[in-house]
Amino acid sequence: MFSVRVNDKTTIDLLQQQHKEELFALIDANREHLRQWLLWVDKRRTAQDFEPIIPIWIQNYADNNGFDAGIRYDGELVGMVGLHYIDWKDKITSIGYFLGEAHQGKGIVTNCVRTLLQHIFRDLGLNKVVIQCAAENIRSRAVPERLGFREEGVARDGQWLYNRYVDLVNYSLLRREWESESRP
């Protein structure tokens, strides 16, 4: 299964059925925080709500079509990160992430995304990575901005979020841009 050490405190691990209680506890403890930006939060009311979803995540990984993985910090599940659908013809994927509120400001997501970029460009040989963030989600937007992504534009009213539309900022990073930064 997919497991990557990001640094001495952080790992990215594919989630399994035995993690559903831990995942639910993370989401439930951060429900109001996550609900500001993620539409699916209200659909996850019990740990059992993950039973049909986790096999899909595992199958996506097995099919080489992205993955959804847990972010562990000092062994504790603190968030998730994943590659959405991989377009193998055009060699493009997108990254999504969330983090529990108490663990923000430690560089956890930035380090995870930096590590995933190595996997995306070196191991998978993809050419382009996209990240979409709600325009008002300053913390989420800081991740691609820190990592050298370029803002490609704003999708006005790009997503219906519970009771309102939100604008989505589109960022991208090309393999040649990543390589020119003299990555380790």
Side-chain angles (χ1 to χ4, degrees), residues 1-2 14-16 53-68 83 86 88 119 124:
M1 283 294 157
F2 184 80
L14 200 61
L15 294 173
Q16 308 282 321
I53 297 166
I54 291 173
I56 294 169
W57 295 343
I58 294 168
Q59 190 62 52
N60 285 344
Y61 175 73
D63 291 343
N64 209 14
N65 192 22
F67 59 84
D68 290 86
L83 301 187
I86 298 174
W88 286 104
H119 176 65
L124 299 178

Side-chain angles (χ1 to χ4, degrees), residues 60-115:
N60 285 344
Y61 175 73
D63 291 343
N64 209 14
N65 192 22
F67 59 84
D68 290 86
I71 299 172
R72 293 195 179 277
Y73 185 79
D74 284 335
E76 177 187 356
L77 184 65
V78 298
M80 286 186 70
V81 64
L83 301 187
H84 300 142
Y85 167 80
I86 298 174
D87 176 343
W88 286 104
K89 178 183 168 283
D90 293 323
K91 298 188 180 268
I92 298 171
T93 193
S94 62
I95 296 176
Y97 44 81
F98 76 84
L99 195 65
E101 190 171 20
H103 290 88
Q104 291 185 337
K106 299 176 184 178
I108 296 170
V109 171
T110 300
N111 288 330
C112 287
V113 171
R114 183 182 292 117
T115 298

